Amino acid sequence: MMKRYEIWDAHVRFEDSQEIKTRPVLIWGEYAFIIAYIITGTDRGDTKDEFRIGYWKEAGLDKPTTIRIGKQLQLRKDDLIQRRGRLDPRDILRFDLRIAG
């Protein structure tokens, strides 16, 4: 159904409330649940916990976007709404290097 590095719209629960928001996520893996990273339009730059997507248009995103490496999620399949796109291979390489640390 979904593959690593794909970007999906998903129902994501806020950390400090029961409110749910639709937002893009980066798929990382699927086990008993789906591992994903939150994607945000808030640009905090390239930091230890933030990865700026260089080729956001190619990935199917609407604006400059950042992956919050420090915000890994556990989602259910029914949390996923639709596939938006996939990280560009140039961003995949940079992201893998960042995760490997």
Side-chain angles (χ1 to χ4, degrees):
M1 180 177 172
M2 83 277 320
K3 295 179 181 169
R4 183 173 283 188
Y5 307 115
E6 287 184 342
I7 296 172
W8 283 70
D9 286 328
H11 298 293
V12 176
R13 186 176 311 279
F14 280 80
E15 297 169 6
D16 54 354
S17 74
Q18 293 298 314
E19 185 180 352
I20 295 174
K21 181 178 181 180
T22 299
R23 64 184 313 152
V25 298
L26 176 71
I27 301 298
W28 188 247
E30 183 178 3
Y31 305 95
F33 45 84
I34 298 162
I35 304 290
Y37 290 98
I38 291 176
I39 294 177
T40 180
T42 304
D43 186 2
R44 296 179 180 93
D46 263 337
T47 67
K48 180 181 132 207
D49 292 328
E50 308 285 334
F51 175 85
R52 183 182 294 136
I53 298 174
Y55 301 93
W56 52 272
K57 287 181 187 176
E58 293 83 349
L61 297 162
D62 302 328
K63 60 184 178 179
T65 307
T66 302
I67 299 170
R68 300 190 69 197
I69 297 170
K71 296 290 182 182
Q72 201 173 63
L73 303 169
Q74 294 180 2
L75 302 172
R76 301 179 315 264
K77 283 186 181 180
D78 62 343
D79 290 327
L80 298 178
I81 302 167
Q82 68 180 16
R83 183 182 182 274
R84 274 194 182 220
R86 179 178 169 83
L87 280 183
D88 182 275
R90 294 166 285 189
D91 280 324
I92 289 173
L93 178 61
R94 289 180 44 244
F95 188 75
D96 283 349
L97 288 171
R98 176 72 61 80
I99 294 294

